[in-house]
Amino acid sequence: MSAHDDVAAMREEYSAGGLDSSDLADDPVTMFGRWFDQARAAGLHEPNAMVLATASDAGRPAARTVLLKGYDERGFRFFTNTASAKGEHLAGNPACSLLFPWHPLERQVRVEGVAEPLPREEVQAYFDSRPRGSRLGAWASDQSRPVADRAALEAAWAAAEARFAGVEDVPVPPHWGGYVVRAWRVEYWQGRPNRLHDRFLYERDHVDATTWRTVRLAP
């Protein structure tokens, strides 16, 4: 048997718990808070890590991991270089999806919605909370663009460090910002034995609707 055959044979039986309609909160944000707190309490490494999937104007998809930096009734927030590949995608096609893969809990949360730019004051407030090195990194990295080598990247960071030497409040780069993903669908997935997983979907007609419906989905 080859190593590739071994991959086909890999499987886990999910038996950590279940999810029933009686376990659901009235809205997906409250439900997310419950599961997120449980993920943190379980000691998961970076429970706020989420996969962001976008698509270009031509329909070419791309996915990458980013960090959730807040959530509320508006949606799920993250920050990034807006001139990056993801930023270019969202500028032309704001529809996107998020995935929280909480494997140790045999859970995942899937979000579908629209990404909207955050107000500049929110971007400023979050940027000011970052470590100084990360703020300088935002100036140094031309995210998603080719770079000659590691030395060139470190030289760009050193140039940013010299540029803002003695400046306590490093300004927000003009190409750096944040988004809130306003959801119209949020799915909660709990692994179960025999691949009969529990899946519950919250959905609403559009991102401004106030009424959510819930439905159980077949696994």
Side-chain angles (χ1 to χ4, degrees), residues 30-117:
T30 302
M31 187 66 186
F32 183 84
R34 290 179 186 175
W35 272 27
F36 185 72
D37 288 346
Q38 291 169 13
R40 294 181 67 181
L44 269 62
H45 179 66
E46 291 196 313
N48 60 326
M50 59 187 186
V51 178
L52 166 67
T54 60
S56 69
D57 288 342
R60 296 178 179 175
R64 76 289 287 164
T65 301
V66 299
L67 296 178
L68 176 73
K69 288 300 178 180
Y71 65 93
D72 53 28
E73 66 280 353
R74 291 183 303 162
F76 302 83
R77 296 191 295 280
F78 68 94
F79 298 85
T80 188
N81 184 321
T82 58
S84 64
K86 71 179 87 63
E88 290 181 347
H89 281 190
L90 293 174
N93 178 12
C96 63
S97 66
L98 306 172
L99 170 66
F100 294 87
W102 293 327
H103 301 303
L105 298 180
E106 300 174 357
R107 289 176 172 176
Q108 59 180 327
V109 180
R110 300 174 60 235
V111 178
E112 297 176 22
V114 175
E116 297 180 356

Side-chain angles (χ1 to χ4, degrees), residues 108-111 185-189 199-202 217:
Q108 59 180 327
V109 180
R110 300 174 60 235
V111 178
R185 291 165 59 95
V186 184
E187 180 189 327
Y188 291 86
W189 183 102
R199 298 175 60 189
F200 283 92
L201 176 69
Y202 291 81
L217 302 177

Side-chain angles (χ1 to χ4, degrees), residues 18 23 43 45 66-67 101 112 125 129 131 150 153 169 177 204 207 212:
D23 301 317
H45 179 66
V66 299
L67 296 178
E112 297 176 22
S129 75
R150 179 74 193 185
L153 185 60
D169 296 324
R204 56 183 177 178
V207 297
W212 291 91

Side-chain angles (χ1 to χ4, degrees), residues 135-209:
R135 285 179 277 164
L136 295 175
W139 283 96
S141 175
D142 193 10
Q143 194 176 96
S144 300
R145 302 295 185 269
V147 61
D149 50 30
R150 179 74 193 185
L153 185 60
E154 292 178 351
W157 190 92
E161 184 180 33
R163 176 180 178 181
F164 296 109
V167 178
E168 181 178 355
D169 296 324
V170 177
V172 180
H175 55 266
W176 202 88
Y179 300 89
V180 58
V181 177
R182 303 184 64 202
W184 59 63
R185 291 165 59 95
V186 184
E187 180 189 327
Y188 291 86
W189 183 102
Q190 176 72 63
R192 295 297 300 273
N194 304 313
R195 295 302 188 260
L196 295 179
H197 312 306
D198 289 325
R199 298 175 60 189
F200 283 92
L201 176 69
Y202 291 81
E203 61 181 346
R204 56 183 177 178
D205 294 331
H206 52 81
V207 297
D208 292 317

